[in-house]
Amino acid sequence: KAGYAGSKFAVPVLWDKETNAIVSNESNEIIQCFNMAFNAFAKTPELDLYPPALASAIGTVNEFVYPNLNNGEQQQ
């Protein structure tokens, strides 16, 4: 919003330290990336953040959340 005096912003971001570049800033993509990519290092590799049985339902929720909440501030 124009004129915002605050200094803190919170956005999801996956940052590549080697290239100093953003890999992704889309929370759903980040969750899917981390879901199994680092299981070899995880304390609970069996934890599934994006179970196939719920993928369709997660997609439906994201179709509502993204335009109405994630991008809501840009529509004002």
Side-chain angles (χ1 to χ4, degrees):
K1 196 171 200 179
Y4 177 72
S7 61
K8 294 184 179 183
F9 298 90
V11 296
V13 67
L14 180 57
W15 182 262
D16 184 329
K17 288 173 52 174
E18 291 187 13
T19 63
N20 288 323
I22 293 174
V23 176
S24 177
N25 69 343
E26 210 308 298
S27 57
N28 187 47
E29 290 175 7
I30 294 170
I31 288 172
Q32 290 183 52
C33 176
F34 278 105
N35 189 40
M36 291 184 285
F38 300 100
N39 278 357
F41 311 102
K43 290 181 182 178
T44 55
E46 69 280 357
L47 177 63
D48 191 350
L49 301 174
Y50 202 84
L54 296 177
S56 178
I58 291 169
T60 299
V61 170
N62 283 336
E63 286 175 11
F64 171 81
V65 169
Y66 189 78
N68 293 293
L69 301 176
N70 288 7
N71 282 350
E73 76 283 354
Q74 297 175 11
Q75 299 172 2
Q76 296 180 7

